[in-house]
Amino acid sequence: MSTTETAQTAQVELSIGGMTCASCAARIEKKLNRMDGVAATVNYATEKAKVTYDGDDVAVADLIATVEATGYTAQEPAPPSAEPGGAGAGEAGGADADALRPLRERLITAVVLSVPVIAMAMVPALQFEYWQWLSLTLAAPVVTYAAWPFHKAAVTNARHGAATMDTLISVGTSAAFLWSLWALFFGSAGMPGMTHAFELTIERSDGAGNIYLEAAAGVTAFILAGRYFEARSKRKAGAALKALLELGAKDVTVLRGGTEKNVLVSELMVGDRFLVRPGEKIATDGRVVEGTSAVDASMLTGESVPVEVAPGDAVTGATLNVGGRLVVEATRVGADTQLARMARLVEDAQNGKAAAQRLADRISGVFVPVVIALAVATLGFWLGNGSGLTAAFTAAVAVLIIACPCALGLATPTALMVGTGRGAQLGILIKGPEVLETTRRVDTIVLDKTGTVTTGRMTLLATHVGENATEDEVLRIAGALEHSSEHPIAQAVAAGATERVGALPTPEDFANVPGLGVQGIVEGHAVLVGREQLLAEWEIHLSSELKRAKDAAEAAGRTAIAVAWDGEARAVLEVADAVKETSPEAIRRLRELGLTPMLLTGDNAAVAASVAAEVGIAPEHVIAEVLPQDKVDVVKRLQAEGRSVAMVGDGVNDAAALAQADLGLAMGTGTDAAIEAGDLTLVRGDLRAAADAIRLSRHTLGTIKSNLFWAFAYNVAALPLAAAGLLNPMLAGAAMAFSSVFVVGNSLRLRGFKALS
């Protein structure tokens, strides 16, 4: 649902259309907040407004009317569909395609028509007798149809007393086109045989004989190309929610009237009993009424060890049953489940994340008024000097033309394309330009434990052997018995044994003891493998040496497994989620970048402390036993302390925190929900890539800033020539071309970025 209400207040999320920059979002937000009883936040990146209002005095229609009166569109978004092929998904995909199609059509039009216009203007050999009229014919659709979004945005901005990059583009291209029209129809530029000689001279000329159609058409094409590439890379905010909703089971076996019936999960009701077989996802939140099993809840809770469940225990929807058969009674369905609540957390975090305002718009906000003032001053100066109306207008219009740098539209997208391309080669995916500025300010990096710092898989780490056995013997016998169990811990022991001693024998007998371990006969020995309690039931006790090993393992947060055969305890095995080999080096590199690493996990404090000590994270920077919904609160608390927070995670339980953080880095080996919620994706699953990703992002941001400087510098340098009436068309075209070439060349330097990992 997009609207929620209480006794006095209501909340609605509106989809906003027509925004072209962050200042548009700020303008809408300001207008909405001026309404009585309304509190609104507008996010340019997600194109959504989250509004809390007094339901007695304000209606949703009033909010939409206010947005429309400000010059934009607003509507309530359709709720996302949980089915990947459902209507919601299809509509979302169609909306994305429809959003890009008009921009793509305008870009193709601009490029196809601008190339010959620029070629004729810059190459005298192509200037046949009536070339200027063909240029007008080709340039007119570019400056009107293709550039229409810029003109529309400029008018909207002007109505609210603002100036952005759109204003600069619209004013510059309009001035060039209108002056060219005047020169063609009322000046001497329309005469047969008129040419623009290829001369970069600085001398006063008759403005009535000059046309600037190539500047108007070329600037439009360059800027549209930049906007299109930027739009393609822009993050789709709804993808994280869709990925979360798709994690749950799609259908479920319900027990009704003593029979099993397969139904869609959406048809489940509270109180229904349903069957969960080994390897199946639990359909919804519920309570176990029959059976025992181990449930892998790591993607939701972050706990690396599967949770043993029995009748009376609560289970969560979308978690995986890895053990026996369960019958579960549904306690929460639909929007009330933990998975649905996590989806809302992600959505709230994404809506609340402030988008980085585009640097070009910030510069334009100052540059445009200065240029317009300079053009007016130039006009006044030449009129005051008695130089005549034509000369005065020639100089004033030249100022507006040269101030419109086509490179401005290429500054961000070209650096982003080269930077993201190099990142992709290194296994780093940057999702959009809005994330780059954040990397410069980040000072704290919060690391999820399971699957990020650790492998996320249970691993046999150590074997402690008693007096009457050898390590190989223990691993062969215990591994053989554990190999017959489906429990993840048992599989870890079997895998470790196979790796160290080779092929394992086949048990002659096997039985699972729910919640305690396994027992059976291997090579004629009566074998027990499991908890110490399992051995105690057979009056077998650990020696003092093995008891110390067990206690030490558990103190370090590891799972201790006792092994006994023929009535004697033989060994204690240590199983845990192993730390990745590269994690300590990654933590060191993150510190070198000026970041404070912190460990955040749903696992217990002992496990967290052990992992932190192994990788070099200070004990005071460890936060353990944190529920998924509380991870967001931890990030918010750090932000409230004035920190700029990066978050690295890989699970569903990290998705909301990744979206809430100033910079979200998702491990590519993790879930789709985490990947979609993050700003950067680390494809390799190597934590060292996090340091490389931040370095690359900072390099890319630096390149964008230098691009913006030079995009303006070439044009600013030519402003005095324009004001003095010394700007000829060749000089204007050269400034446009050189600034673009420089920006592209500067961006290409990012291809030389090297990863340290």
Side-chain angles (χ1 to χ4, degrees), residues 3 78 114 136 145 302 449 522 554 569 576 610 619 702 747-748:
T3 309
S114 296
L136 175 63
Y145 163 71
K449 180 187 74 68
V522 180
E554 291 178 343
S610 174
S747 297
L748 289 174

Side-chain angles (χ1 to χ4, degrees), residues 564-589:
W565 66 77
D566 297 342
E568 183 181 346
R570 308 284 180 165
V572 168
L573 309 178
E574 289 187 33
V575 173
D577 182 9
V579 169
K580 294 178 181 177
E581 292 181 2
T582 57
S583 291
E585 173 69 9
I587 301 300
R588 185 185 65 78
R589 291 182 183 175

Side-chain angles (χ1 to χ4, degrees), residues 384-406:
N385 270 2
S387 299
L389 192 61
T390 299
F393 267 104
T394 298
V397 171
V399 168
L400 296 176
I401 293 169
I402 199 60
C404 185
C406 63

Side-chain angles (χ1 to χ4, degrees), residues 103-235:
L103 183 57
R104 184 168 54 249
E105 290 173 351
R106 293 180 195 276
L107 171 60
I108 293 171
T109 300
V111 170
V112 170
L113 299 182
S114 296
V115 169
V117 173
I118 295 171
M120 285 187 288
M122 300 295 286
V123 183
L126 298 178
Q127 295 173 4
F128 57 91
E129 191 170 6
Y130 290 103
W131 71 273
Q132 67 271 45
W133 295 102
L134 177 59
S135 290
L136 175 63
T137 304
L138 295 175
V142 177
V143 179
T144 52
Y145 163 71
W148 175 246
F150 305 132
H151 303 318
K152 182 181 178 182
V155 171
T156 301
N157 292 329
R159 283 210 309 265
H160 298 93
T164 66
M165 181 178 165
D166 292 314
T167 308
L168 183 58
I169 299 163
S170 180
V171 169
T173 54
S174 298
F177 185 72
L178 293 174
W179 180 262
S180 300
L181 279 181
W182 183 88
L184 285 169
F185 285 98
F186 302 105
S188 57
M191 300 295 291
M194 185 278 286
T195 60
H196 279 166
F198 192 77
E199 295 177 356
L200 298 179
T201 55
I202 300 176
E203 59 183 22
R204 190 160 297 144
S205 60
D206 180 10
N210 294 334
I211 59 173
Y212 297 93
L213 294 171
E214 78 286 353
V219 165
T220 301
F222 277 123
I223 301 284
L224 280 173
R227 290 283 173 91
Y228 178 72
F229 292 127
E230 188 174 339
R232 281 186 60 186
S233 67
K234 190 174 180 182
R235 183 180 58 196

Side-chain angles (χ1 to χ4, degrees), residues 499-667:
E499 182 180 335
R500 297 180 200 183
V501 301
L504 302 174
T506 302
E508 297 153 39
D509 186 32
F510 171 85
N512 182 56
V513 184
L516 294 179
V518 293
Q519 62 187 42
I521 298 174
V522 180
E523 295 183 337
H525 301 290
V527 185
L528 300 172
V529 182
R531 297 185 179 182
E532 186 180 7
Q533 183 184 343
L534 176 63
L535 275 64
E537 290 185 358
W538 290 81
E539 299 297 329
I540 301 173
H541 303 284
L542 297 177
S543 66
S544 58
E545 182 185 352
L546 292 179
K547 179 70 172 174
R548 282 195 300 272
K550 171 186 172 292
D551 292 342
E554 291 178 343
R558 297 176 176 180
T559 300
I561 303 166
V563 180
W565 66 77
D566 297 342
E568 183 181 346
R570 308 284 180 165
V572 168
L573 309 178
E574 289 187 33
V575 173
D577 182 9
V579 169
K580 294 178 181 177
E581 292 181 2
T582 57
S583 291
E585 173 69 9
I587 301 300
R588 185 185 65 78
R589 291 182 183 175
L590 291 169
R591 279 206 179 91
E592 288 175 353
L593 290 171
L595 305 176
T596 301
M598 303 185 75
L599 189 68
L600 180 66
T601 178
D603 238 332
N604 65 65
V607 173
S610 174
V611 170
E614 191 171 345
V615 300
I617 294 177
E620 63 270 21
H621 293 150
V622 178
I623 307 171
E625 300 177 14
V626 180
L627 296 174
Q629 56 268 34
D630 296 334
K631 286 192 174 186
V632 181
D633 295 333
V634 170
V635 173
K636 286 180 179 178
R637 175 169 56 78
L638 292 171
Q639 290 170 329
E641 293 172 2
R643 298 173 184 255
S644 184
V645 181
M647 168 82 188
V648 188
D650 75 324
V652 177
N653 59 311
D654 304 314
L658 286 169
Q660 175 64 41
D662 299 289
L663 181 70
L665 297 95
M667 305 299 277

Side-chain angles (χ1 to χ4, degrees), residues 427 429 445-455 580 582-583 586 647-651 654 658 664-691:
L429 305 181
I445 184 160
V446 176
L447 307 169
D448 169 57
K449 180 187 74 68
T450 307
T452 302
V453 177
T454 65
T455 61
K580 294 178 181 177
T582 57
S583 291
M647 168 82 188
V648 188
D650 75 324
D654 304 314
L658 286 169
L665 297 95
M667 305 299 277
T669 50
T671 63
D672 290 344
I675 291 169
E676 293 294 351
D679 303 308
L680 298 167
T681 300
L682 313 177
V683 174
R684 298 196 308 272
D686 183 343
L687 189 56
R688 291 178 299 177

